[in-house]
Amino acid sequence: MPYVMVKIPPTPTPTPAPGGAVRSVPTSADVARLAGVSRATVSYVLNNTGAVRISDPTRRRVREAAKELGYVPHAAARSLRAGHSRMVLMPAPDFPVGPLYSRFITDLQVALGRLDYTVVQYGTVGAHDDEAARAWAELRPVAVLVPGSGLGPRGVEVLKRSGARAVVTLGPDTVEGAHALLMDHDVVGHSAGAHLFDRGRRRVGVVLPREAGLETFSGPRLSGVREALRGSDATVTPLPLALDEDDAARLADRWRDLGLDGVFTYNDEYAMVLLRALQDVGVRVPEDTAVVGADNLMLGRLLRPRLSTVHLELPSGRELADWVDRAVRDPSAPPEAHKVLGATVIHRESS
Amino acid sequence: MPYVMVKIPPTPTPTPAPGGAVRSVPTSADVARLAGVSRATVSYVLNNTGAVRISDPTRRRVREAAKELGYVPHAAARSLRAGHSRMVLMPAPDFPVGPLYSRFITDLQVALGRLDYTVVQYGTVGAHDDEAARAWAELRPVAVLVPGSGLGPRGVEVLKRSGARAVVTLGPDTVEGAHALLMDHDVVGHSAGAHLFDRGRRRVGVVLPREAGLETFSGPRLSGVREALRGSDATVTPLPLALDEDDAARLADRWRDLGLDGVFTYNDEYAMVLLRALQDVGVRVPEDTAVVGADNLMLGRLLRPRLSTVHLELPSGRELADWVDRAVRDPSAPPEAHKVLGATVIHRESS
DNA sequence: TTGAAAGCGCTACCAA
DNA sequence: TTGGTAGCGCTTTCAA
C-alpha cells in the first residue's frame, strides 16, 4: 500500500453562529451538529432509509434539529449525488393556450405526481431545437415532453446524450429517436368533412387561422377534410381568417361569390366570429351554409343556432403518465408512436 | 506545516471507451481528456472567463472536443458550486387559465429571460403553503413568484431560509415577509358598479361563480361593487351561478322576481351564459337589465347586444421583471406592496 | 498559459 | 446503531 506526504488542509471556516446577524442556509451538516450526530445519520433519518435502523431517541433529536433550523434538502446536491432526478420537463407554452390544453397539462401533472415525478415547465424564451434542447438538458431531466413541433432529431439526440431516459413528442408528426404521441389532427378535419358531406354539402370551405403558430394544427385539419371528400364530387376551399371581427366581415362580404354551402372553421372560436359575420350579412345558417367548429367549447352551445362541433378526445393524464413511466423504466426500448387523438362530431343546429 | 500518512486512493474507473456499447453522459472531464487539457481549462474556455487568457489553439481544441462529445454542462453541479442559481420559480396554475393570464405569464417569462433569469413553472400537485413551499425551496430558486393566495407567512419563511432572495405574491392581499403585487380586484367591481349607477341602475346583481378556486377574485369584485354603491339608494344582490346553461336558465327563471335592473357578471364568459339565458326568457338587455362583464374577451364584441365590459390593465412583463430583479439584487430591502391592477369600463351596447 | 485540488451538499458504502 | 468518508460535476484559487 503506497503512502505519500500530504498537506493537511486548514479547517473550513465554520458557519456563522446561530444567533448571528447573517443567517446562511442550513445544511444537513448543521442539522447533524445541532443534533449531535453525523451527517450520515441525518440522511438516514430524514430519508427513512429502510436498510439502516436508527434508535427512536436519535430519530427524534434529528427531526427536531431539522425543524428548528428550517432545514430543506438541496435538490441539486441530491440529484448530483444520485446521478439522476425524477424531473419531467416540458417547455412552457409560449402562446395563449385554450381550456383543453390547460386541463390536459394539469391532469398530466397530477398523474405524474402520483408516480413520484416532478413536472417542471421550462420557460424557453424563443429558442428552437438544439438551442432549446441544450437549455433543457442542463437540468438533466429524466424525461422530456414536448408538445407541438419545436423539437427536431438533433434536439432529441442532445437530450438523450445528457441522460434523458425518455423523450416524448406530442404532436402531428414523429421525430427520429423520440417516442411520439401522435396527435394527428387529420382526424378532426376528417370528421368534420365527413359530417358536412353527410349533411349534403358539396362546396366546403375550411377556415385557416392567420395567426402564427397554429399551422401545425390547421394544416392537418385541412388535409383531413380533403381526405374525407376525396373521390367525391365535393370541393374544398381554404379560407384564411384572422380571429377578428373585421377580417370576418370581409370574408362574409365575399361569401355569396364563394358559393360555399358548408364550412369547417378550425375551431369554435373562429366559428363564432364567422357565424356572427355571416348572420350580419344575411347568410342563413345552416340553410345557406352549414358551419362546424371544433374543440367543443362551452360557447358553442350558447350560440344561436347552436354550433355543431368536433369534440377532441385526448388521452387521460393517467394513461399518458403511465406511458411515460414505462418509457423511463425501459429506455432501451425502441421509440414507439401512438395515435392518441380521437374525434367525434357533436351535431347541433348549425349543420 | 504538519504532515500525515495518507492512503492513496485507487484511480477511478475510467468511463467506457468512446466507441463502447454503453455511452455515459459526458462531463467536463471527458472534454478535458479528449482535448488533452485540464478540467480547469475546459471551464475557462466554455465560460469565456475574462480573467484568464487561453491560447487560441487550445480554445479551438476544447470547443471541438465539447461539440464532438455533445457536452452539456450540468446545471445542478454548477449551481451547487456557485452557491446560487438564476432560477425564478412559479407554481404552475392548477386551474384552466384564461387568455389574459396566459399572455401575462408568457410576457413575464420573456422579460425575465432577457434579464438572464430562467423561469420554471413547478407542477405542485395539491399541496399548500408550507408543504408546497418546501418542495419549491428544494430547488433553491433565487426568486419565487406566487399568483393567487396559495402561500402564507410560514411558506414565505421557509423559502427565505432556504435562500430565496425575493418572494413575490401576485394576488389580492399581502403576505407577511413577502413583496406583493397587489391585484386588488376591488377596482374591477368598483368600475362596474359605478358604471351601472351612472347608467341609472339601482338594483344591481353581482354574479358569483359557483366554481371553486375563484373566490379570491369574486369576493373582492363583489366588495368593489358594494363600495361603489355605498351611501346611495342602490341595492346589491349576490347571484351564485355556475358556468353552465342549465344553471343560467334557472337563474333567468327567477329574474323577474329578483327585480334587478343591472348586473355585473364577474367576467365575460359568465356574462355570455347569463345573457343567453335572459334573452331566452324574454328579458330585454339593456332595457330591462343592463349587463356588464369583465376581462374584455373577444367574445364580448361578438355578442348581440355587444357586451359592455371592464378591461383589466395588468403590469407589463417588462415592468414586473425589472421589479423582481430589483428585489433580488437587494434582498435586505423591506417588502414592498404595489397596487398594479387598473380597470377601465368599455361601454358597448349591453348597458 | 495551464494544472492541481478544494469544496459546494448530499447519500451510500464500509468499518467500528 | 452510528460515524467516517468518497465522490457526483463543476468553478476558482493558488501554484507552477
Side-chain angles (χ1 to χ4, degrees), chain A residues 34 43 52 59 67 78 89 170 201 214 228 329 336:
Chain A
L34 182 58
S43 178
V52 188
R59 299 186 99 81
K67 175 165 291 180
R78 177 178 285 175
L89 184 145
L170 292 79
R201 311 302 163 139
L214 299 177
R329 294 165 108 103
E336 290 180 27

Side-chain angles (χ1 to χ4, degrees), chain A residues 42-258:
Chain A
V42 170
S43 178
Y44 292 145
V45 171
L46 297 184
N47 295 316
N48 279 315
T49 307
V52 188
R53 306 218 64 75
I54 304 280
S55 68
D56 269 1
T58 306
R59 299 186 99 81
R60 214 186 322 280
R61 283 221 310 289
V62 170
R63 292 239 157 76
E64 276 167 11
K67 175 165 291 180
E68 176 167 341
L69 294 177
Y71 170 71
V72 175
H74 193 309
R78 177 178 285 175
S79 73
L80 183 59
R81 164 68 221 221
H84 61 257
S85 74
R86 300 280 294 172
M87 181 193 298
V88 175
L89 184 145
M90 305 181 62
D94 60 348
F95 53 92
V97 13
L100 214 68
Y101 186 71
S102 204
R103 165 164 310 259
F104 175 66
I105 298 285
T106 304
D107 282 358
L108 182 58
Q109 276 175 0
V110 171
L112 282 170
R114 283 194 219 294
L115 296 176
D116 199 36
Y117 292 98
T118 295
V119 179
V120 149
Q121 292 180 251
Y122 187 99
T124 315
V125 182
H128 272 309
D129 200 19
D130 297 42
E131 206 183 339
R134 268 185 61 92
W136 304 338
E138 292 193 357
L139 297 186
R140 297 290 191 272
V142 67
V144 180
L145 258 62
V146 190
S149 43
L151 189 70
R154 299 173 50 97
V156 174
E157 181 59 19
V158 169
L159 288 167
K160 291 193 143 181
R161 284 185 63 125
S162 30
R165 291 167 65 91
V167 179
V168 182
T169 61
L170 292 79
D173 17 55
T174 85
V175 178
E176 175 79 31
H179 294 276
L181 292 184
L182 277 178
M183 320 246 263
D184 193 343
H185 285 248
D186 273 34
V187 294
V188 181
H190 197 281
S191 303
H195 172 73
L196 286 170
F197 189 86
D198 287 348
R199 305 295 299 165
R201 311 302 163 139
R202 293 296 178 270
R203 298 182 51 78
V204 174
V206 175
V207 166
L208 299 179
R210 288 190 199 275
E211 281 74 16
L214 299 177
E215 301 84 1
T216 30
F217 306 122
S218 61
R221 288 187 183 191
L222 171 59
S223 313
V225 175
R226 287 221 159 91
E227 208 175 302
L229 301 181
R230 177 163 307 142
S232 75
D233 55 341
T235 63
V236 174
T237 311
L239 304 168
L241 173 64
L243 190 55
D244 159 294
E245 261 187 299
D246 296 339
D247 202 42
R250 274 191 292 276
L251 178 55
D253 282 340
R254 295 165 42 215
W255 203 257
R256 309 258 178 214
D257 298 337
L258 287 166

